[in-house]
Amino acid sequence: MRMRKTAAAGAVVLGLALTATACGGESGTAGDKPTGEKVFSGTYTAADKVTVDSPALKEAQKRGKLIIGAKADQPYLGFQDTDGKRTGFDIEIAKMIAADLGFGADKIEFKTVDSNVRETAISKGQVDLYVGTYTINDERKKQVGFAGPYYTAGADLLVRKDEKDITGPDTLKGKKVCSIVGSTPLREIKKPKYGAQTTELSKYSLCVKQLLDGQVDAVTTDDAILKGYAAERPTKLKVVGKPFTKEPYGVGMAKGDKALQNAVSDALEKHIKNGDYKKAYEGTIGRSGSAYVAPETPLPRD
Ligand code: GLU
């Protein structure tokens, strides 16, 4: 039986949010194209003898692995295929940073952490870093630290290809809109001014499935994420293309770990300057339709 979770007040399904290995089949809706192969995946030389006065990094050095939280169901951004291979822009950013902290790709342990449990995973030390379409904002800064922004997205709408009525956020009155728990676009779309009925799930791929199945009228989250889903199913889905928020992406880490924040910012700045960032961008989200924009450097440090 299909679970239908739609209610004016917003039904909440908190699923398997924190899993060490994600099931790539999550996005296995009929008509999927495999994602992994067509996305750029680079290698970055690991630095040796890194000394940074960071508790998280010292722990990681002791264990010999850097644990990085990521998404697994966002094609071109943070995706894990059925063989377990991770690809996407955020994965490249994570690999670049890890290399500069002394961890080659074989010394990274990726953990799938969905939006609704990011702050918990970071503050409990379940991950050392988090790289997964994570908007920097003051509320989250009360619980976690950030380096960045390394990219700025904007909330947009994903609709079925034949959709005529939904042309922007001001056309959502009475429409069923799916988004995920713990995300900034969900919080935005729940504002009474939009008049939307929300369906609140734990993974974007579940919202996309509901859209394809006709259970909801739109999915909202960052344009970069939605473009990835539309690129996977160009005959079925389209992005409206009217971003209505600003979503600056940061790398999450334990609050107050200034040394780690500086080291991550240094790494980001280095790879932006040396061209790795642009190459990764163009080979990942560039392929799903996000035009290249160079991030502003130097990055803010607080
Ligand atoms: N960038 C937004 C956020 O951090 C939406 C994407 C996501 O849920 O990761 O909430």
Side-chain angles (χ1 to χ4, degrees), residues 10 25 32 39 43 49 84 86 117 138 180 191 195 207 209 213 222 232 285 289 302:
D32 268 8
V39 178
T43 46
K49 296 197 195 84
R86 297 200 185 242
V117 284
D138 288 342
I180 67 159
K191 289 181 179 166
C207 282
K209 191 172 184 326
D213 293 348
D222 304 340
E232 290 289 286
I285 49 174
D302 52 34

Side-chain angles (χ1 to χ4, degrees), residues 17 28 41 47 49 129 139 226 232 247 295:
S41 179
K49 296 197 195 84
L129 294 175
E139 203 189 322
L226 299 177
E232 290 289 286
E247 307 290 336

Side-chain angles (χ1 to χ4, degrees), residues 71 74 114-116 118 130 132-137 140 153 179-186 204 221-222 225 247-249:
K71 294 286 177 59
Q74 296 175 349
D114 288 314
S115 302
N116 55 338
R118 286 185 285 214
Y130 185 86
T133 62
Y134 197 16
T135 296
I136 302 170
N137 64 30
R140 290 173 179 168
S179 196
I180 67 159
V181 183
S183 73
T184 46
L186 173 65
Y204 289 111
T221 187
D222 304 340
I225 302 172
E247 307 290 336
Y249 288 178

